[in-house]
Amino acid sequence: MKYKPRILETLVQRLEKDYPVVTITGPRQSGKTTFCRALFPDKPYVSLEPIDQREYARVDPRGFLAEYPEGVVIDEIQNAPDLASYIQGIVDDDPEPGRYIVTGSQHFGLTQAVNQSLAGRTAIVHLLPLSLDEAAAFDADIDDLWKVVFRGGYPGIYERKPDPRRWLSNYLRTYIERDVRQVSGIGNLEAFTRFVTLAAGRTAQEINYSSLGGDVGASHNTVRAWMSVLEASFILFRLPAWHPNLRKQLVKSPKVHFIDSGLVCCLLGIRSADDLRHHPLRGAIFESWVAAEIYKHRLHRGEGTGMYHFRQSRGLEIDLILQGSQDLIACEVKSAATIDRSFFRPLQQFDNLLERMTGRPRVSNRLVFGGDMAQKRTETDCIGWQTLHGQSWLP
């Protein structure tokens, strides 16, 4: 199938002009190999997935790198993590930009190698599953919200059009049996699998490690460590609590959002888009889908931080807060196709709260909903789900 352009291309092409190494991470099957081979057709390409190449890179790293004096794309470099140290020596002697492009799926293995050896020498970017605007390039039905959310964004589902449930079930099995098994400290894969399923049922909620640990039969610390594994391998991300006082912000509970909505549906046993349409968790799954789309929008443009949620003990909640240097975007998410006046109440209350602050930031209020038409209401932009990427989410 012909390569479909990705939003991340612009950022990577800019960074390769400034850094001798560009590191591209992301979940398994997010399209990193296809991306690199299409973006750098003139560079040699080598994958460390085959055992012979992996052993060559591990046993004789100098000889391996000497095969590519002008540079190379190295796929799945976490399979030979010591290679990063030898790349460091080469680029220290000759820091020519764009020499090495390295990728890795197991972020927990790759990050340690890169941070120890290539700090200051590499730019790190993340290629996540397809965003809605990227999926539009495929011959796929993206006019039905619940079909889109049920299917998720992994490129393999769009390229070969398999049954999403079967594809995602196989993906989960591969992820747990191959990737997670290699992480030290996770001996009970059955308990970990149960934990992933229970975590999916809590998407778009604040994390209560003790409650989740009680349900899965694991300690608070074990659940916290397992949550870090899911985050490091791009299954989910944690959304910190926003507070104008940074010290208070750090002690509040983060919210958890799964990056791929199709994966959530698979874990929860949702069998079709029609089942999802009437599922009791459809609102939470839609909220996580919106949060993940905005997360992709920002990461694929080089902006990873600055996303939060807000909750007061007396009840006021804002689903998403996006913080810039001077401005905020306050965003509520509703799965309903019809706008109700009550949807605006939290945003109005948040405005009232900020009015009492010293040095109040400028705030843009937004409502993302399950309808098709964008609308402008007093002080709030109402954004239909299909026009999500027509907005800037970089305040």
Side-chain angles (χ1 to χ4, degrees), residues 333-354:
V333 180
K334 299 295 181 183
S335 63
T338 304
I339 295 174
D340 187 90
R341 284 186 302 174
S342 64
F343 296 170
F344 303 107
R345 193 170 300 127
L347 296 169
Q348 293 164 351
Q349 292 174 349
F350 187 64
D351 274 346
N352 294 337
L353 178 69
L354 292 182

Side-chain angles (χ1 to χ4, degrees), residues 307-325:
M307 287 182 64
Y308 304 88
H309 78 99
F310 178 81
R311 185 176 69 85
Q312 281 187 314
S313 57
R314 56 180 178 271
L316 174 59
E317 296 186 35
I318 301 294
D319 295 327
L320 289 168
I321 301 286
L322 307 178
Q323 183 162 22
S325 57

Side-chain angles (χ1 to χ4, degrees), residues 1 25 58 72 84 107 173 196 215 229 240 282 308 311 324 330 338 394:
M1 177 175 284
T25 69
R58 285 176 173 175
V72 62
H107 189 39
R173 185 161 52 250
V196 177
D215 289 344
V229 169
R282 78 167 202 167
Y308 304 88
R311 185 176 69 85
T338 304
L394 307 174

Side-chain angles (χ1 to χ4, degrees), residues 12 19 81 89 130 133 184 326 361:
V12 171
Y19 290 86
L130 299 172
D133 51 347
S184 60
Q326 300 279 335

Side-chain angles (χ1 to χ4, degrees), residues 157-173:
I157 293 176
Y158 287 83
E159 291 167 350
R160 297 181 288 277
K161 297 181 172 55
D163 172 30
R165 288 182 65 242
R166 185 173 294 112
W167 192 96
L168 289 163
S169 293
N170 290 332
Y171 180 92
L172 280 167
R173 185 161 52 250

Side-chain angles (χ1 to χ4, degrees), residues 63-93:
F64 173 83
L65 292 171
E67 301 266 353
Y68 310 102
E70 303 302 317
V72 62
V73 175
I74 304 175
D75 207 355
E76 305 292 0
I77 194 174
Q78 80 281 344
N79 289 321
D82 290 343
L83 204 58
S85 298
Y86 293 89
I87 292 175
Q88 172 194 338
I90 293 173
V91 300
D92 282 351
D93 291 339

Side-chain angles (χ1 to χ4, degrees), residues 46-165:
V46 59
S47 171
L48 300 187
E49 194 69 23
I51 294 176
D52 57 342
Q53 289 285 9
R54 185 186 315 173
E55 287 304 304
Y56 183 15
R58 285 176 173 175
V59 174
D60 185 10
R62 285 193 175 90
F64 173 83
L65 292 171
E67 301 266 353
Y68 310 102
E70 303 302 317
V72 62
V73 175
I74 304 175
D75 207 355
E76 305 292 0
I77 194 174
Q78 80 281 344
N79 289 321
D82 290 343
L83 204 58
S85 298
Y86 293 89
I87 292 175
Q88 172 194 338
I90 293 173
V91 300
D92 282 351
D93 291 339
D94 180 8
E96 179 186 355
R99 194 166 178 184
Y100 294 99
I101 309 297
V102 302
T103 83
S105 299
Q106 299 172 34
H107 189 39
F108 29 76
L110 179 63
T111 299
Q112 185 176 6
V114 167
N115 286 344
Q116 288 178 353
S117 303
L118 296 176
R121 302 167 181 85
T122 185
I124 302 175
V125 297
H126 309 291
L127 184 69
L128 298 181
L130 299 172
S131 57
L132 182 62
D133 51 347
E134 291 175 326
F138 292 80
D139 182 19
D141 177 10
I142 58 169
D143 294 327
D144 184 298
L145 167 61
W146 300 111
K147 287 182 180 179
V148 168
V149 175
F150 176 74
R151 188 167 46 213
Y154 283 99
I157 293 176
Y158 287 83
E159 291 167 350
R160 297 181 288 277
K161 297 181 172 55
D163 172 30
R165 288 182 65 242

